[in-house]
Amino acid sequence: MQFSEQSRVWIYQSDKELNDEQAARVAVLLSNFATQWTAHNQQLKAKAEVRYNRFLVLIVDETQAGASGCSIDKSANFMKALEQEFNISLFDRFNFAYRDGEKVLSAPRHEFEEMLKSGKINSNTIVFNNLVQDLQQLETKWEVPFKDSWHQQLFGSLVNS
């Protein structure tokens, strides 16, 4: 199935990495949700994926039918159910993901700030912009160096040059 580059994207970041078995189970549940997801009783052209055993991504191609408030509520409720089942947090916007070599890690805001001050995270560290809005941005602006992200505006003064 082809999806438009303008397809709408929602990224839910887990506060901890899922093991391979959990990630596979979440992927199945997400896929089942996406295939049954509707807006005003109209089937959405949707897909879902798990990336790096940490990010749950929902994608809706709105050229066919648009996601409505009710359908977005359904997805949020579904994510809350996943939180309960897998004992994870998906709605903490103050938990920041970054790369440490090949590993994808996350830290709460205060730890993230400390790592910036100490230089463990620097202007070239890859961070994840979970605020991307569409599929094109997901592919081009999701994983970016700190210096090119929104994180720079918020935390730039803490970067240990």
Side-chain angles (χ1 to χ4, degrees):
M1 221 175 2
Q2 287 289 91
F3 278 72
S4 159
E5 285 188 336
Q6 284 71 47
S7 294
R8 206 159 159 196
V9 170
W10 292 267
I11 300 172
Y12 295 87
Q13 175 187 308
S14 174
D15 61 330
K16 56 189 169 193
E17 184 177 18
L18 300 167
N19 65 38
D20 289 342
E21 185 180 312
Q22 291 170 319
R25 178 75 181 128
V26 167
V28 168
L29 294 170
L30 276 173
S31 180
N32 290 344
F33 173 79
T35 58
Q36 298 170 15
W37 199 8
T38 60
H40 302 295
N41 296 322
Q42 196 172 16
Q43 180 66 44
L44 293 174
K45 182 179 178 184
K47 66 180 179 177
E49 53 193 55
V50 176
R51 292 191 178 190
Y52 304 120
N53 288 14
R54 184 179 291 272
F55 301 96
L56 285 56
V57 182
L58 290 175
I59 302 165
V60 173
D61 188 336
E62 294 186 306
T63 58
Q64 186 173 307
S68 64
C70 290
S71 64
I72 294 167
D73 286 348
K74 286 178 196 173
S75 67
N77 289 332
F78 174 73
M79 292 298 174
K80 288 176 185 173
L82 289 179
E83 282 185 317
Q84 295 294 309
E85 184 173 342
F86 292 93
N87 192 29
I88 56 176
S89 175
L90 297 171
F91 291 90
D92 183 356
R93 298 293 180 216
F94 293 106
N95 189 357
F96 301 98
Y98 63 97
R99 281 192 174 277
D100 184 3
E102 290 301 306
K103 291 179 111 176
V104 175
L105 303 172
S106 69
R109 182 180 179 146
H110 67 279
E111 282 181 32
F112 191 79
E113 289 175 345
E114 288 303 316
M115 287 187 280
L116 284 165
K117 289 176 189 173
S118 71
K120 180 172 174 31
I121 295 176
N122 60 49
S123 60
N124 293 312
T125 300
I126 300 298
V127 294
F128 291 82
N129 174 13
N130 295 331
L131 303 176
V132 296
Q133 299 288 306
D134 60 38
L135 196 53
Q136 181 180 25
Q137 289 179 355
L138 178 66
E139 300 307 331
T140 61
K141 295 182 177 170
W142 180 49
E143 294 183 56
V144 294
F146 178 90
K147 65 182 178 217
D148 298 331
S149 75
W150 65 264
H151 299 74
Q152 172 67 33
Q153 290 177 313
L154 189 61
F155 300 112
S157 65
L158 300 176
V159 174
N160 189 349
S161 303

